[in-house]
Amino acid sequence: MDEFVGGSRWISETEPELGLGMVLSGDARRVTLLFHGSGEMRQYARAGAPLARVRFQPGDAVHSHEGWSLVVESVEETGGLFTYHGGGRQLPETALSNFISFSKPQDRLFAGQADPAAQFTLRVAALEHQARMRGSDLRGLLGPRIELLPHQLWIAHEVAGRYAPRVLLADEVGLGKTIEAGLILHQRVLTGRSARVLVLVPESLLNQWFLELRRRFNLAFSMFDEARCIAAAQEAGNPFLSAQLVLASIAFLTGSAERLAQAEAAGWDLLIVDEAHHLAWEAGLPSPEYATVERLAARTEGLLLLTATPEQFGEEGHFARLRLLDPDRFHDLDAFHAEQADYRAIARVVDTLLAGQAPGAADAELLRGRLGEATALDALGDADAEQARERLIEQLLDRHGTGRVLFRNSRSALAQFPRRVPHLLALPCPAAYAALAHSPTPERAWQPAADGRPWWRFDPRVDVLLELLEHGDKVLLICARKETAIDLDEALRTRSGVPAALFHEDMPLLARDRAAAWFADRDGARVLLCSEIGSEGRNFQFAQHLVLFDLPADPDLLEQRIGRLDRIGQRGDIHLHVPYLRDTAQEALARWYDEGLDAFARHARAAPAVYRVMAERLHAALGRRDDLAALLADTRALAAELGAALEAGRDRLLERHSYRPQPAGALAARIAAIDADGELEGFMERLFDHFGVDQEEHSEHARVLRPGEALYTAALPGLADEGLTVSFERRRALAREDMEFLSWEHPLVSGAFELLLGSEHGNCALAGWTDAAGDVPEWLVEAVFVLECVAPRALQVDRYLPPQPLRVVLDPHLHLRGDDYPAARLDAATRDLPAAALREPLGAHQRLLRRMLDAAAIAASTLAEQRVQAALTRMQAELTPEAERLRSLAAVNPNVRVTEIEFAETRIAELYRHMHAARPRLDALRVVTTIASPSTT
Ligand SMILES: Nc1ncnc2c1ncn2[C@@H]1O[C@H](COP(=O)(O)OP(=O)(O)OP(=O)(O)O)[C@@H](O)[C@H]1O
C-alpha cells in the first residue's frame, strides 16, 4: 500500500463519485480523507482501505483547482508528494482540481486488453439502471421489505425530501410509525444525507427495533450498552465514534452523564426517539429523559419523535415535545393553546371546499385574511373551479396548523380495520375482597389468610382465563403489576397444563425477547402473561384474544394495550375480554370505558381530553364516593362534544395533511409497477452470471444464490457460503421470513453494481462485424461517457443530474453515427475479437483512434452541456416555486424554520454551480473494426 502522506491525492474505489480526495491526517491504524468537491469526510482503516493513489502519467492533461491545465511532461516526487511539470508550468498535486476524471478504457485499448462485448453491454445497462434509480424521487422507498401502504409512503415521501426533517410521527397505535421512521431513515441513508444516526428506544424494545431495522430495511445498527462502550472506547476513544448507526436505550444514556456527554460530542445527522410520550415535561421541570433528548436534539439536524399518544401526559407534554423539534417556534404555551382553538374555523372552510361548494362571504373574508393574496379564491368562479378549489385546500393545509411538524394518521381515515369485539364479564366479588372494593387491583392489596391459600384460588377472573384457554387460541393477557403476572403464571402451572410465558420488567431483556418469541411461535406458548411493559411497542397481532385482567385509569394506556393486537397485520376480529368484579372499582372503570367512552369497541379519539376533565370524578367513583350513573352520563356527553370538536377542528386538518389518498396511492402504484416490471430479475441474472454466482431456481421469481468459484463473489455483501434464498416478489418475501427481498436497493444488488462499475469489467471491448461485406466503416468507436457531478450530498444533485451514460459513436471521418448504429444493432451484427489479433492494427492505427476518441470527448461535452441545461431547467422549475412557497409560507405559518428557507434558497445557487461543473468521464469503449474481422481473416 502506498504511504498516506498528508496532502497526497486518492480516489475511492467504491465511491468514485466523491471526486478526488486528499489525506488530511492519519495514524498507525486509520487515515482521514477530505473529498473537497463533495464536501465529504471519510475515515478508513489503513489496512485494506478501498483507495487508489492518483498518479498522472506523461501525456495526461491535468487541471488545477484554479481552472488552468497542463499536459504532463514529467512527474517529480518529493517527500511522497507529486508535482506535475509541463509547458513550463508546474502543478503540485495538492493544487489539483477536486473534480478529476480518469480515462482507463483507452489505456486498456492500446495495451491490447479487451473484454467480451457481453460485458460491455452489461456495464452500459448497469449505468443506465443506476441513472434511473438514482434520479428517481422514489429512491429509498423501493427496497424496504414492507407492504406498500399509501399512508406510510406518503409521510416518508413528504418528510425525507426536506433539508433536515424534524417531525413528530404520531399515528394512532399500531399504524406503523416504526415503519414510517424506518422509511425516512432508509431514504436518508441511501441518498447519503444522513450518515450518522442514533436511535433511542425504551429498553424493552431494543431487540425489536434492531431486528426490524435489519430485516425490513437492511440497516445494520450496533446496539450500545455499557459493555459495548467499554470495549469500543479502547479502540476509538469516544465509543460512539466506532459506529455510524447506533441503537441504544434512553435509560442507558440518561443514567450515565459520561456516556451522554460522549454521545453528544460524537455528533449525529439524525436522531430518532421512540415512545416519546415518556419524555415528560412540566414548565421549568423537564424529566431526566426529556433533558437527555433535549441536549442531543439541540445538536442534531434531523429529529424524529414517535408516539401514538402525544397528549398522554397532557397538552403541556405535547407542547414540550413539539418544543424539542423547534424551540424557536414553540416557546409560548398560551399562544399554542390559542392556535389549537383557531383550527376549527379553517377546518370548516376546508370541509366546505371539499364538498364542492364555494365559501360564503364570511369564510371568503377569513380566507383572504389568512392567505393574503388568495389568488385561488378569485379563480373559484372560473371554468376550472375544481382545480382552484384543490389549490385552495392545499394552501390552507399547508399554511395552518402543526401539519409541517406533526403527522397523525387515524384508523378512521384509513382503509378497513379489523373489528374489536368487547366481552365484558361481570363476576361476583369474592368475599375475601369485600374490604377492597375501591381497588382496581384487589389481588395486590389482599393479605393471604393463615391457610396460605393464594388469591388465584378464589378470584373468578382466573376461572374466566382458564375457560378461555380451553379453546386453544393464542391469548395475550395484560395486567398492571408484575406480581400479578407472576402469580398467574403459577396459577396456570398449578390449575392447567397450558404452556404460558411470562413478560415483565424484572426479567432480563433476553429472557423477555425469548418469551415473546415463544409466544409468537405457532407451537409455542398459548398465553403470554404481561405486566404493563407488554403494552407498549410490541407486535402481537398474530393473536386475536386480549384479556384485560385489570384496567388502567388512563385511556391512552388502555389504547396502547389494545394496540398490541389492533395493529397493521391483524387478520381477524379482535376479542377483548374484560372480566370485572361487580360493585367494585373494576366495574366503575369497565363501565366508564364502555358506556362512557365506548373505548373498547373503537378508538375513542376524545378519550384523553375527557380524562383530563373527568379524572378527579373518575377516581372518586372508583373509591365509590361519586355516583357512577351520573359520571357515565356526563362522560358520554363530554366525549360526544369534544369528539365532534376534534373531528371538526384540529384532527381534521391534521388528518388531511397527514394523508392525501390520491397522491399517496399514486406513489404506491408507481412502486408496485417497478416491482412488477421484471427488469431487475432479468438484469441480476446476467450480473450474477458475470460474477460467477451459482443460481438455482427455487420457485417462481425466487432463487437460491451461492458463491461460485470466481474470485469476486467473496466481495458481494451478504452472500455467505451457505447461500442465500432471494425473492424478487415483495409479496413472497413478506410471507417468507427465510427469503431476502431483492430490490434495486438491496445491498447485494447495489454491492454488485458497485463491484462492476468500480472495476474495469466490460470497459473495453473489441469486436468485428459478423458480415463485413456490407458498407460498414473500417473503424467504429462506441464511447460511453458518464456525466458526473460532484456535489455535497445535502444538495441531492442526483435528483436532477444523476451519474448518467452518454453514448457517442464515431466513424474514422469523425462523423457521429449513433443513429445508424444503435447499441442493439452493434450487439447483433458484431462478434468478439481476440485482443491479441488486434494488437498490431491497433498500434498502426493509434493516431486515428486517438483522434476519434478526442472527437468523442468533444461530442460528449456537447451532449453533457445539453443534459446539464435540461437538468438545470428541471431543477429550477421544481425548486424555485418550492423556495417561494416556503418563503410565503413562513409569513403565515411559523412552523417553517429559518434554516429550511435559507437552505432552499442557497440550494438552487449551489446546485447551479455544481451542475455547471459536471464533466463527462469516459467509462467504457467498444471498438468495432473490419480489420481482423472473422470474415476477413
Ligand atoms: N407497511 C407495512 N408492511 C408490513 N408490516 C407492517 C407495515 N406497517 C406496519 N407493519 C407491521 O405492523 C405492526 C405495527 O407497526 P409499527 O410497530 O410500526 O406501529 P407503531 O405505530 O409504531 O405501533 P405502536 O404505536 O404500538 O408503537 C408491526 O408489526 C409492523 O411490522
Side-chain angles (χ1 to χ4, degrees):
M1 168 70 61
D2 289 278
E3 258 318 292
F4 289 105
V5 176
S8 61
R9 313 303 298 263
W10 300 73
I11 190 121
S12 161
E13 286 165 350
T14 47
E15 298 176 286
E17 70 276 13
L18 292 177
L20 200 57
M22 184 189 284
V23 173
L24 282 191
S25 61
D27 58 24
R29 286 199 302 264
R30 274 170 312 214
V31 58
T32 305
L33 270 84
L34 173 65
F35 293 88
H36 210 283
S38 50
E40 297 284 322
M41 189 97 88
R42 291 278 190 280
Q43 214 176 50
Y44 302 93
R46 212 177 171 100
L51 294 168
R53 179 79 166 101
V54 173
R55 183 192 170 121
F56 289 97
Q57 303 297 332
D60 288 337
V62 292
H63 307 275
S64 78
H65 65 65
E66 288 163 342
W68 54 272
S69 318
L70 60 77
V71 175
V72 178
E73 289 164 8
S74 63
V75 187
E76 177 196 347
E77 184 180 340
T78 323
L81 292 179
F82 303 131
T83 302
Y84 300 102
H85 297 267
R89 305 188 77 164
Q90 59 177 19
L91 179 59
E93 65 175 312
T94 46
L96 280 172
S97 163
N98 299 304
F99 306 90
I100 232 118
S101 58
F102 300 87
S103 40
K104 284 187 188 153
Q106 60 270 52
D107 296 345
R108 293 190 69 210
L109 178 72
F110 295 119
Q113 299 170 0
D115 306 311
Q119 283 189 20
F120 170 84
T121 20
L122 185 70
R123 186 179 184 94
V124 176
L127 287 171
E128 279 161 0
H129 287 309
Q130 190 190 50
R132 199 158 43 89
M133 289 304 143
R134 285 178 59 166
S136 167
D137 65 325
L138 299 176
R139 189 153 185 230
L141 296 179
L142 303 175
R145 183 210 283 249
I146 56 159
E147 259 176 68
L148 299 173
L149 299 180
H151 72 279
Q152 298 171 346
L153 295 169
W154 172 252
I155 289 181
H157 192 258
E158 274 288 280
V159 173
R162 292 185 191 171
Y163 159 59
R166 289 181 82 92
V167 296
L168 179 62
L169 300 175
D171 284 4
E172 281 175 16
V173 181
L175 296 189
K177 291 175 291 299
T178 318
I179 302 294
E180 286 160 10
L183 281 168
I184 295 167
L185 168 64
H186 187 251
Q187 279 183 299
R188 308 269 321 172
V189 170
L190 215 68
T191 51
R193 281 172 299 157
S194 301
R196 292 188 49 75
V197 183
L198 176 63
V199 177
L200 294 180
V201 307
E203 201 185 18
S204 59
L205 299 180
L206 274 173
N207 272 334
Q208 186 171 300
W209 265 87
F210 179 81
L211 291 174
E212 290 261 291
L213 288 168
R214 167 69 196 83
R215 200 172 62 88
R216 292 202 183 275
F217 300 97
N218 285 308
L219 292 171
F221 270 72
S222 305
M223 234 194 271
F224 269 55
D225 56 12
E226 189 52 29
R228 165 83 195 226
C229 281
I230 292 170
Q234 288 172 355
E235 274 282 305
N238 182 340
F240 294 97
L241 286 174
S242 67
Q244 298 283 75
L245 304 176
V246 172
L247 175 64
S249 85
I250 303 181
F252 167 56
L253 283 191
T254 307
S256 164
E258 183 198 357
R259 297 303 178 210
L260 176 57
Q262 288 173 328
E264 200 180 354
W268 309 94
D269 303 317
L270 182 63
L271 172 67
I272 300 179
V273 185
D274 191 20
E275 307 295 354
H277 47 270
H278 291 310
L279 309 177
W281 180 90
E282 282 171 37
L285 201 65
S287 63
E289 290 78 12
Y290 186 94
T292 295
V293 173
E294 188 173 31
R295 272 175 65 177
L296 292 165
R299 300 191 50 169
T300 309
E301 274 192 340
L303 175 64
L304 307 181
L305 300 178
L306 280 61
T307 174
T309 46
E311 297 183 5
Q312 187 163 346
F313 299 110
E315 209 169 275
E316 266 194 17
H318 180 40
F319 171 75
R321 285 177 282 280
L322 294 174
R323 196 170 148 264
L324 288 173
L325 297 168
D326 190 349
D328 296 338
R329 155 82 173 94
F330 297 100
H331 60 90
D332 183 342
L333 184 58
D334 292 334
F336 177 68
H337 287 312
E339 258 175 38
Q340 303 274 306
D342 189 43
Y343 297 150
R344 191 169 185 157
I346 297 170
R348 200 192 53 233
V349 182
V350 170
D351 274 349
T352 309
L353 292 166
L354 278 170
Q357 295 159 9
D363 285 348
E365 202 47 47
L366 178 91
L367 285 175
R368 282 216 170 75
R370 294 307 167 86
L371 297 179
E373 75 292 0
T375 43
L377 182 66
D378 297 328
L380 277 181
D382 298 354
D384 56 355
E386 184 65 38
Q387 263 186 353
R389 241 193 320 270
E390 281 290 315
R391 261 207 324 279
L392 213 47
I393 292 170
E394 294 252 327
Q395 283 177 343
L396 279 170
L397 293 179
D398 211 15
R399 296 184 184 194
H400 293 280
T402 36
R404 274 189 74 75
V405 286
L406 174 61
F407 288 87
R408 181 162 174 84
N409 277 301
S410 60
R411 284 172 170 65
S412 58
L414 302 176
Q416 291 282 303
F417 262 84
R419 231 161 35 106
R420 293 182 183 181
V421 188
H423 303 277
L424 275 82
L425 280 162
L427 304 165
C429 181
Y433 288 163
L436 305 170
H438 60 280
S439 170
T441 52
E443 77 281 1
R444 301 281 39 103
W446 177 73
Q447 296 295 327
D451 63 5
R453 203 163 69 111
W455 63 269
W456 45 261
R457 287 278 181 202
F458 59 79
D459 191 319
R461 290 173 299 168
V462 180
D463 301 318
V464 169
L465 174 64
L466 290 172
E467 199 184 313
L468 180 62
L469 288 173
E470 277 173 16
H471 299 299
D473 298 318
K474 292 254 181 205
V475 174
L476 176 71
L477 178 143
I478 303 182
C479 55
R481 308 272 297 273
K482 65 171 187 288
E483 293 83 0
T484 304
I486 294 168
D487 286 351
L488 282 171
D489 187 39
E490 194 190 337
L492 290 185
R493 257 186 288 119
T494 313
R495 297 182 58 187
S496 88
V498 173
L502 253 179
F503 190 98
H504 60 75
E505 53 274 32
D506 282 358
M507 291 164 62
L509 208 53
L510 194 64
R512 268 185 257 165
D513 286 325
R514 280 212 190 107
W518 188 38
F519 180 50
D521 186 349
R522 186 197 297 262
D523 304 318
R526 279 250 298 289
V527 55
L528 186 71
L529 305 167
C530 294
S531 68
E532 202 69 81
I533 60 152
S535 63
E536 206 169 73
R538 288 274 171 177
N539 298 317
F540 296 128
Q541 62 269 51
F542 51 82
Q544 269 103 43
H545 293 268
L546 173 66
V547 175
L548 295 162
F549 198 75
D550 47 39
L551 290 169
D554 184 337
D556 270 335
L557 211 47
L558 176 71
E559 192 57 28
Q560 289 276 14
R561 285 187 179 187
I562 299 174
R564 296 318 101 213
L565 268 55
D566 187 7
R567 56 208 289 107
I568 286 173
Q570 178 55 264
R571 308 246 177 263
D573 287 350
I574 298 157
H575 296 274
L576 302 175
H577 304 272
V578 189
Y580 64 83
L581 304 177
R582 219 175 263 137
D583 294 327
T584 69
Q586 293 194 343
E587 173 169 3
L589 258 182
R591 292 183 55 198
W592 185 67
Y593 278 123
D594 189 42
E595 297 168 38
L597 292 169
D598 192 17
F600 293 122
R602 59 182 191 92
H603 170 67
R605 177 197 296 266
V610 174
Y611 177 62
R612 278 199 291 279
V613 178
M614 291 282 180
E616 222 170 284
R617 280 185 65 191
L618 174 66
H619 287 282
L622 300 187
R624 298 150 63 78
R625 296 187 308 276
D626 198 354
D627 175 10
L628 182 60
L631 173 72
L632 294 182
D634 292 349
T635 301
R636 254 193 315 274
L638 187 62
E641 183 194 331
L642 293 182
L646 282 176
E647 185 138 348
R650 187 200 66 189
D651 280 14
R652 191 155 192 90
L653 282 179
L654 201 51
E655 266 165 27
R656 296 219 182 283
H657 192 93
S658 301
Y659 178 44
R660 310 253 180 103
Q662 204 268 333
L667 273 180
R670 282 169 60 208
I671 299 172
I674 294 175
D675 281 355
D677 69 16
E679 288 240 25
L680 177 67
E681 189 170 357
F683 182 71
M684 287 315 291
E685 186 172 352
R686 287 164 63 199
L687 194 50
F688 286 142
D689 269 348
H690 170 73
F691 283 126
V693 176
D694 284 341
Q695 307 183 57
E696 188 190 319
E697 195 77 17
H698 176 284
S699 47
E700 209 183 350
H701 306 302
R703 50 193 78 178
V704 182
L705 306 175
R706 288 194 189 82
E709 291 300 310
L711 188 67
Y712 294 104
T713 50
L716 288 173
L719 192 55
D721 280 349
E722 64 271 20
L724 190 69
T725 309
V726 300
S727 169
F728 291 88
E729 255 189 345
R730 186 180 292 273
R731 204 167 35 83
R732 284 293 292 293
L734 274 169
R736 295 278 305 255
E737 283 288 319
D738 57 328
M739 285 187 179
E740 289 280 318
F741 172 45
L742 225 55
S743 72
W744 289 104
E745 292 170 354
H746 191 280
L748 180 59
V749 173
S750 41
F753 268 67
E754 268 169 29
L755 199 58
L756 179 73
L757 297 176
S759 72
E760 293 177 343
H761 296 197
N763 80 346
C764 182
L766 280 173
W769 299 99
T770 40
D771 177 9
D775 181 17
V776 289
E778 188 180 14
W779 294 95
L780 200 67
V781 167
E782 181 186 20
V784 177
F785 294 79
V786 175
L787 176 55
E788 282 173 339
C789 178
V790 178
R793 305 271 182 161
L795 293 178
Q796 282 182 270
V797 72
D798 276 2
R799 284 280 290 110
Y800 308 101
L801 197 62
Q804 54 198 282
L806 305 173
R807 180 173 184 265
V808 178
V809 181
L810 279 179
D811 67 15
H813 306 292
L814 308 187
H815 290 152
L816 290 170
R817 303 295 299 272
D819 290 344
D820 302 328
Y821 297 103
R825 176 165 176 205
L826 293 184
D827 292 345
T830 66
R831 78 164 67 140
D832 294 337
L833 285 182
L838 269 179
R839 241 170 236 140
E840 238 177 72
L842 280 173
H845 291 84
Q846 196 174 129
R847 280 174 66 115
L848 168 70
L849 288 166
R850 281 201 185 275
R851 247 200 347 252
M852 290 169 78
L853 286 172
D854 288 346
I858 294 168
S861 294
T862 312
L863 264 181
E865 251 170 61
Q866 291 164 4
R867 295 275 178 100
V868 169
Q869 274 313 327
L872 282 172
T873 310
R874 222 176 37 246
M875 181 273 286
Q876 280 179 317
E878 209 171 287
L879 294 186
T880 309
E882 175 64 16
E884 277 166 9
R885 181 181 143 259
L886 279 180
R887 222 177 298 129
S888 55
L889 195 54
V892 287
N893 186 344
N895 289 318
V896 183
R897 281 172 292 138
V898 177
T899 45
E900 244 183 294
I901 303 173
E902 283 170 358
F903 176 72
E905 285 171 352
T906 49
R907 182 179 176 199
I908 297 175
E910 284 290 294
L911 275 173
Y912 201 83
R913 193 166 70 79
H914 282 91
M915 285 162 77
H916 261 297
R919 299 246 176 93
R921 168 183 62 78
L922 181 60
D923 184 84
L925 268 180
R926 168 157 60 179
V927 174
V928 187
T929 178
T930 52
I931 298 176
S933 280
S935 53
T936 58
T937 51

